[in-house]
Amino acid sequence: MTGTYESDEKTQAARRIAAWRAAERTLARRPGEATVGERLAQLAEAAGSVTDADGDVDIYGGGVVAELEKKVAALLGKEAAAFFPTGTMAQQVALRCWAGRTGNPTVALHPLGHPEVHERDALSALTGLRTVHLTSEARQPTPDEVHDLDEPFGTLMLELPLRDAGFVLPSWEELEELCEAARARDAVVHFDGARLWECTEHFGRPLDEIAGLADSVYVSFYKTLGGLSGAALAGPASFIEEARAWRHRYGGQIFQQFPQAVAALAGLESELPRLPEYVAHARVVAEAMRDGFAKAGVPWSRVHPEVPHTHQFRVVLPYPADVLTEAATAQAEETGTSLFGRWWATDTAPGLSLVEVTVAGPGLEWSADDVRAAVADFVRRLG
């Protein structure tokens, strides 16, 4: 029975990818849509514009990887940065290093933060750290919650934006106060900035000013920027030197990573400057979706946040996830318009399902009327 289920899942996944790939209109292209040949061609084209294509490949982190590290450190206003194969490893190392430096193995973070939801308890299993939670609500913590936490902690970790709460951010003033509250308790501040790139519009501040509030920052290259994989950890030079030693111990000293570095540099060149435009248009799309669901007579719907903080947001509808996913796939197959991807059952209430919406370059071509028309067509498919 399990084998049949897995086979069915693979068939449906292949169908979805084929539908997304063939769609002429979409709000954003998904990573799984490109073929191997297409990705290799993109990489070869990018190499000549973002680095010296005739230069040396990296060996254990030199060459173009070192170029990328230097560029990221400058963008974030930090003394140094180190490339990591995964964000999970980067954050494990960062929090381990801070625990050693502060003498406190406790990390204060949100229970919806990436280490708690997506890393299989690695903080405790691998590093011996423990976590305490600032709030159980699906929002960013408040400065008062940091100030009033009833036990000491060595590091405050803030995920910006908090993806599993709906890509939400605090206000700039709240972020400043959160960092001040942590330091008043003799703690350091680490930003899980996997998607920090897209936060400048909401905060109204450049990247280096945002990152300047934290002692260390992790950023991703495949989220938001469309890279192949990889991440960077940025902070004080001595801290990054220590992080490099732990990266080696964790198995992250990879022989060659120049394809990932080239793809990351390409994303920084082509996508990073456009993100404010994506965020602004995501707000147009979100409002049009909310209006479209209301006009289509859906008994209940939610677009969260109502005004997106980044170029990503959530839509929640009162239908089973498989019904919504089938409608989304059929719409892409039959009309060439891909409005939504795969839907998931929510953890908060039975009968509700959610989807994450990203607005990127292809989405800029959609007017509010285009969005409303696509929503109406999608709802008709729900029966």
Side-chain angles (χ1 to χ4, degrees):
M1 183 68 85
T2 301
T4 302
Y5 174 79
E6 290 177 351
S7 175
D8 219 34
E9 279 289 294
K10 290 180 180 178
T11 300
Q12 289 303 314
R15 180 186 165 211
R16 286 194 298 273
I17 291 172
W20 297 339
R21 185 177 291 157
E24 298 174 358
R25 301 193 70 200
T26 183
L27 291 170
R29 288 294 171 188
R30 300 168 182 86
E33 292 180 31
T35 64
V36 171
E38 288 169 343
R39 270 313 237 166
L40 288 174
Q42 291 166 4
L43 198 63
E45 183 179 358
S49 64
V50 299
T51 190
D52 180 4
D54 295 322
D56 296 331
V57 296
D58 69 292
I59 302 294
Y60 292 122
V64 69
V65 174
E67 289 178 32
L68 174 62
E69 292 173 336
K70 185 176 180 179
K71 185 176 183 67
V72 170
L75 282 169
L76 299 178
K78 297 298 185 186
E79 290 182 349
F83 185 88
F84 279 78
T86 71
T88 296
M89 184 185 293
Q91 298 215 115
Q92 295 291 321
V93 167
L95 296 172
R96 179 170 200 145
C97 289
W98 283 129
R101 290 178 171 225
T102 63
N104 189 322
T106 302
V107 180
L109 77 173
H110 198 289
L112 292 177
H114 196 277
E116 299 290 57
V117 179
H118 301 291
E119 297 181 17
R120 302 185 68 165
D121 299 319
L123 273 183
S124 58
L126 298 181
T127 313
L129 304 185
R130 61 184 292 267
T131 60
V132 290
H133 297 157
L134 298 160
T135 178
S136 60
E137 296 185 27
R139 56 164 174 77
Q140 289 283 351
T142 67
D144 284 344
E145 287 166 339
V146 173
H147 182 273
D148 297 336
L149 193 64
D150 59 1
E151 58 182 305
F153 55 92
T155 305
L156 170 66
M157 179 185 141
L158 297 173
E159 184 176 322
L160 303 175
L162 185 55
R163 182 259 182 99
D164 284 310
F167 305 99
V168 297
L169 290 162
S171 69
W172 176 251
E173 293 73 19
E174 288 169 336
L175 183 59
E176 287 183 309
E177 292 172 6
L178 281 162
C179 297
E180 290 169 3
R183 294 199 172 94
R185 299 192 55 164
D186 297 322
V188 297
V189 178
H190 170 75
F191 286 170
D192 174 343
R195 298 172 173 85
L196 193 74
W197 314 112
E198 62 206 55
C199 295
T200 57
E201 187 75 2
H202 175 83
F203 289 134
R205 300 291 193 283
L207 279 169
D208 59 349
E209 190 172 348
I210 298 168
L213 295 180
D215 297 282
S216 62
V217 182
Y218 137 67
V219 289
S220 173
F221 296 124
Y222 78 88
K223 297 169 184 173
T224 307
L225 298 180
L228 293 176
S229 63
L233 178 65
S238 64
F239 176 81
I240 296 303
E241 185 177 357
E242 181 184 355
R244 291 179 190 275
W246 280 107
R247 180 185 64 186
H248 195 173
R249 294 183 180 111
Y250 272 68
Q253 189 78 351
I254 308 299
F255 181 58
Q256 289 189 328
Q257 298 184 98
F258 67 90
Q260 288 88 338
V262 168
L265 285 168
L268 289 172
E269 181 180 85
S270 63
E271 288 297 290
L272 184 59
R274 304 188 71 189
L275 286 172
E277 188 179 10
Y278 297 171
V279 175
H281 199 60
R283 294 167 182 171
V284 174
V285 171
E287 183 178 1
M289 281 189 178
R290 191 164 50 250
D291 185 43
F293 286 119
K295 289 182 176 178
V298 174
W300 183 90
S301 65
R302 186 179 183 192
V303 175
H304 176 70
E306 285 193 8
V307 178
H309 297 174
T310 72
H311 74 317
Q312 296 179 287
F313 57 90
R314 283 182 165 185
V315 175
V316 184
L317 293 178
Y319 297 90
D322 58 345
V323 171
L324 293 164
T325 300
E326 171 58 31
T329 306
Q331 182 179 36
E333 290 172 332
E334 295 166 17
T335 70
T337 294
S338 178
L339 182 63
F340 299 120
R342 185 176 183 180
W343 292 71
W344 305 90
T346 67
D347 295 328
T348 53
L352 296 180
S353 301
L354 67 87
V355 69
E356 294 178 342
V357 176
T358 300
V359 178
L364 299 180
E365 300 175 5
W366 293 53
S367 68
D369 286 341
D370 292 336
V371 175
R372 284 188 282 265
V375 167
D377 179 73
F378 173 77
V379 171
R380 281 195 294 271
R381 297 168 187 278
L382 298 178

